[in-house]
Each structure stands twice: as structure tokens, then as C-alpha cells.
Amino acid sequence: MRPNPFFRLLGLAAATVALAACQPEPAPEPGTQTPIVIGHEIVLDSAIYGGPRTITVSLPASYGGGNRRYPVLYLVDGGAQQDFVPMAGMSALGSLSMQYREFILVGVQTDNRYVELTAPSDLAEDLRWLPDNGGAADYRSHMLDEVRPWIEERYRTSGENAIIGESLAGLFITETFLRAPTSFDHYIAVSPSLWWRGEGLSHEAADLLAAGGFGGHSLFLTIADEGEDMQAGMDRLVAALEAGAPADLTWWYQPMPDEHHNTIYNPATLQALRLVFAPEEGE
């Protein structure tokens, strides 16, 4: 029986399409400029702040290749002109080097970090420097009650959450850890400004730890060559952890005395991510 010419032509056409699909994309013309996208800036309507607030999102390299779910790293001071871009680089490093698990990066921008990251203080020295302080509770509620649900509705999150920040952001993270420990699974506080409120948070740390709720969580602390004003509060906090941390709290204190306040963030982040998002068995 002779083959039908129609089916022969149809087979040739299919083979041609399949071959074309396997060919690499033609090289762009010399001088072509193509944007390199590392993430997106998104404006949310915030009931807590009564207006628009900005977040940033960067997805791991493998996100588009399946149905895998990922932990989320929330970045304080996470605006595009704040710490989002260097932290997106740290996220990409995880995908490239496999030193730590891939994660979804969510930056939560601060509009006035001095107000939004401080607990209320009525000390004269604090009021002279920052009379309109004390907005940390609103920022925390914005992150937990507005940003997180929005992210979890739209992205493949695993339910594992971490938070990272430096300086006043580190203070905010330490305060959140001590006062609302179930807010996140992992806390990374880099050079926290524990001098705020006359080092009040570190003085309260032992009693706050005794209140419980820390089991199954982790805390990474580090500090640079900050001087006595920063170091005294850190030493008191570490002493409270050494004396009263629950057995099922994982915590690390890794000071970096060779770094400065303006150089510690990247090396501290690398070390913290290796611990907090350590590759799982078999990866």
C-alpha cells in the first residue's frame, strides 16, 4: 500500500516544527540592550498606614520550573533604594552556589525608618534625637497582617519564614524576637542598635526569655567593631541567652570585630544564610 502523500507532508511539517523548536534563539544584534530583571516593586494599599506602601519581591532562579514551595526571607528596609538589590544578589548566590536553600525574598520598604523601627521611648536623650519615635508596632503589623498574607496568596511559599535587617532594623528584629517570638521561624539581627531606650531591651531580655514561646525558632546575632554604646547591650543580651535560652531555641552569636558598621551586612548575611537556610539532607 503506497503511503498517502498528505500524511507524508504532515509528518515533514511536524518534524520541521520540532526541529525549529530545538534551535537556539538567534543571537541579538550587536548593541542590543536587554533589561536584567532581578525583581519587582509592588505598591500595596495599607489600612494600617492609611495609604500606599511599597514592597519588593525577588523569586529564586528555579521558581518557574515546577511546583516547588520556598521559604520566605523578609527584609526590613527592603525598598529598591534600600537593601533590596544587594540582598537579591545574596538570593541569586544561593541558587548558583547551593551554599544555602533558595528562598523568596520580600523587601518591606520603610518610609521613615527612624520612626517605624523604634519602640516608644520617653527618655530625654532619645526625644532630643527622635521626638516622633515609636512606630515599630505598626510596621510589625503591616508586615505580618498585610504583607505576609498578600505574599502567601500569590506565591508558592512553604510556610517557613525568616527576617533580616541591620542597625535599627536589627533592633526591630531583636525586639520582635523577644516580644513576639512566634512571628517568624528565623531571626537574623546584624549590629542591632540596642543602645535605644538606654539599652532597655537588653535589660528586659532575661524576663522576656523566661516568658517562653521560643521553641523551634532560631536567632542569629552579630556585631561589628561598634564601640561600647552598641556592644554593652549586645553583651547583656548574649548573657541572658546563655543563662536562660530554652534548649529547643537554636541561636548563634558570631561577632565580627574586623568589620565596621558600614561593612558588616554582606559577610554577616552570607554566614547567617548558611546556618538558617542550611541545605537539607540529600540536596
Side-chain angles (χ1 to χ4, degrees):
M1 181 185 212
R2 296 182 63 188
N4 190 317
F6 171 75
F7 290 109
R8 181 181 296 172
L9 290 172
L10 187 61
L12 287 172
T16 301
V17 170
L19 182 62
C22 295
Q23 298 304 309
E25 291 290 331
E29 293 293 325
T32 299
Q33 297 186 29
T34 303
I36 299 173
V37 179
I38 63 169
H40 293 87
E41 185 175 79
I42 302 160
V43 177
L44 305 183
D45 185 26
S46 169
I48 291 168
Y49 286 111
R53 298 286 296 196
T54 302
I55 66 170
T56 51
V57 178
S58 179
L59 299 176
S62 65
Y63 188 88
N67 296 315
R68 178 179 166 191
R69 292 185 171 273
Y70 298 84
V72 181
L73 178 63
Y74 287 89
L75 171 63
V76 182
D77 289 328
Q81 303 303 316
Q82 296 177 322
D83 294 323
F84 175 72
V85 172
M87 198 60 66
M90 299 301 291
S91 174
L93 181 63
S95 298
L96 290 169
S97 67
M98 296 179 287
Q99 297 179 65
Y100 40 85
R101 288 179 285 143
E102 292 181 295
F103 55 86
I104 297 170
L105 175 65
V106 177
V108 183
Q109 181 172 302
T110 48
D111 291 352
N112 185 336
R113 66 191 303 270
Y114 301 104
V115 174
E116 293 168 17
L117 300 181
T118 52
S121 175
D122 57 4
L123 294 181
E125 58 190 291
D126 292 340
L127 292 172
R128 278 194 298 270
W129 176 67
L130 190 59
D132 296 325
N133 66 69
D138 283 344
Y139 184 81
R140 186 177 300 111
S141 294
H142 170 57
M143 182 177 284
L144 296 177
D145 300 332
E146 295 182 329
V147 176
R148 182 185 289 176
W150 194 93
I151 292 295
E152 292 180 346
E153 287 173 7
R154 290 163 177 80
Y155 298 98
R156 298 195 309 274
T157 62
S158 68
E160 182 183 7
N161 297 296
I163 184 170
I164 188 170
E166 188 253 355
S167 194
L168 281 176
L171 169 69
F172 171 84
I173 290 167
T174 307
E175 185 116 32
T176 301
F177 167 76
L178 288 170
R179 298 193 187 281
T182 61
S183 299
F184 297 90
D185 299 296
H186 312 291
Y187 297 82
I188 303 169
V190 179
S191 288
S193 298
L194 294 173
W195 54 265
W196 179 250
R197 288 195 305 116
E199 302 171 14
L201 184 61
S202 65
H203 284 286
E204 299 162 5
D207 289 339
L208 292 169
L209 284 168
F214 301 91
H217 298 274
S218 75
L219 170 67
F220 178 91
L221 293 169
T222 186
I223 193 168
D225 63 341
E226 309 282 2
E228 183 61 24
D229 286 348
M230 294 275 280
Q231 190 67 53
M234 178 65 83
D235 290 344
R236 193 176 296 111
L237 172 60
V238 170
L241 285 162
E242 290 174 338
D248 52 355
L249 168 68
T250 301
W251 68 280
W252 306 271
Y253 173 49
Q254 297 189 0
M256 297 185 174
D258 293 333
E259 300 294 341
H260 311 301
H261 194 71
N262 63 337
T263 66
I264 189 174
Y265 206 178
N266 273 15
T269 297
L270 179 60
Q271 183 60 25
L273 291 176
R274 286 170 172 168
L275 295 168
V276 168
F277 287 150
E280 294 177 342
E281 196 72 28
E283 287 191 352

